[in-house]
């Protein structure tokens, strides 16, 4: 029986980041989950969080995950 879409998603510890189990091996793929941002896959949760922060900075908003204001 096929898994439902809800079971395949993985919650992230960072804001605007989500993961899902795509491979049969159980590997988790991470992406930025902001409306209007393409679904680029990242190997690690940290890289996806940095991408989310960079997007927020490009929209002149404060980063919320890893990057900090100087």
């Amino acid at each position: 029986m096929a898994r439902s879409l809800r079971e395949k998603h993985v919650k992230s510890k960072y804001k605007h980041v989500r993961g899902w189990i795509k491979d049969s091996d159980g590997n988790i793929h991470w992406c930025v989950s902001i409306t209007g941002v393409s679904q680029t896959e990242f190997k690690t949760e940290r890289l996806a969080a940095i991408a989310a922060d960079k997007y927020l900075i490009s929209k002149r908003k404060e980063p919320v995950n890893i990057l900090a204001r100087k």
Side-chain angles (χ1 to χ4, degrees):
M1 186 170 175
R3 288 178 145 181
S4 69
L5 188 61
R6 182 176 209 91
E7 291 177 347
K8 292 184 180 182
H9 286 138
V10 178
K11 187 171 180 167
S12 173
K13 63 182 178 181
Y14 298 111
K15 289 185 177 182
H16 307 298
V17 175
R18 68 181 173 108
W20 70 94
I21 300 173
K22 188 174 181 181
D23 298 337
S24 59
D25 297 338
N27 294 333
I28 300 173
H29 297 269
W30 300 97
C31 71
V32 177
S33 65
I34 299 175
T35 304
V37 178
S38 64
Q39 296 291 323
T40 305
E41 293 182 12
F42 297 95
K43 290 182 180 180
T44 64
E45 186 179 15
R46 179 175 165 70
L47 290 175
I50 290 171
D53 281 349
K54 286 181 179 179
Y55 176 78
L56 292 172
I57 291 169
S58 73
K59 296 296 182 183
R60 301 198 180 268
K61 295 184 180 180
E62 292 292 321
V64 294
N65 294 317
I66 296 172
L67 301 179
R69 178 179 245 196
K70 285 185 176 182

